[in-house]
Each structure stands twice: as C-alpha cells, then as structure tokens.
Amino acid sequence: MNWNYAKLRGRIKEIFGTQEAFAKAIGISSVSLSQRLNNALEFTQEEIFNSCEVLNIPLTDMMSYFFTKIV
C-alpha cells in the first residue's frame, strides 16, 4: 500500500529545514528516509514514534501524517 507523506514532508521542512537533518534526528540515513517517503520501504513503529516526538506531532494526529492513502 502506498501512503501520501505530503503533510509529513511539510512538517519536516518546517521543523528541520532539510530531510537530512530530520533523518539524523531520528537515527536513520537520508537514503533510508528517502526510501520511506517514496514508499520503497515502510516506516517502522519505532521510527514513527521517534518522528512524532522530534516533530512535536501529538499521537492523536499521527494517522494524518503517516497513514493517509494515496488516492
């Protein structure tokens, strides 16, 4: 299944400026992050929770950032 990460990409840019800085903050490489944002790989549960923490995303809003289907 493919996910729309547009909202997540916007939040990453807003908080970190670059995907590279965000990837470093959650402990993965920028290549790994790119693969996840392009639906080549899936985010792990740990990566999702770490992302919410560093991006100040309330867990109640997690679904809209990580689980919006591409229509």
Side-chain angles (χ1 to χ4, degrees):
M1 185 172 301
N2 288 325
W3 305 104
N4 180 343
Y5 292 118
K7 189 172 181 177
L8 178 61
R9 287 176 188 268
R11 186 68 172 194
I12 291 168
K13 186 166 183 115
E14 177 185 336
I15 302 294
F16 284 93
T18 66
Q19 290 182 9
E20 291 79 13
F22 170 67
K24 185 176 180 180
I26 63 168
I28 63 174
S29 72
S30 57
V31 172
S32 293
L33 176 61
S34 179
Q35 290 173 323
R36 284 156 176 76
L37 293 173
N38 290 309
N39 288 293
L41 293 175
E42 293 183 357
F43 281 95
T44 66
Q45 291 178 349
E46 183 176 356
E47 290 164 349
I48 291 170
F49 280 100
N50 288 343
S51 297
C52 288
E53 185 175 311
V54 300
L55 293 170
N56 300 314
I57 298 170
L59 295 182
T60 55
D61 295 340
M62 177 178 36
M63 295 294 287
S64 66
Y65 285 90
F66 289 92
F67 299 103
T68 301
K69 292 180 186 176
I70 292 178
V71 181

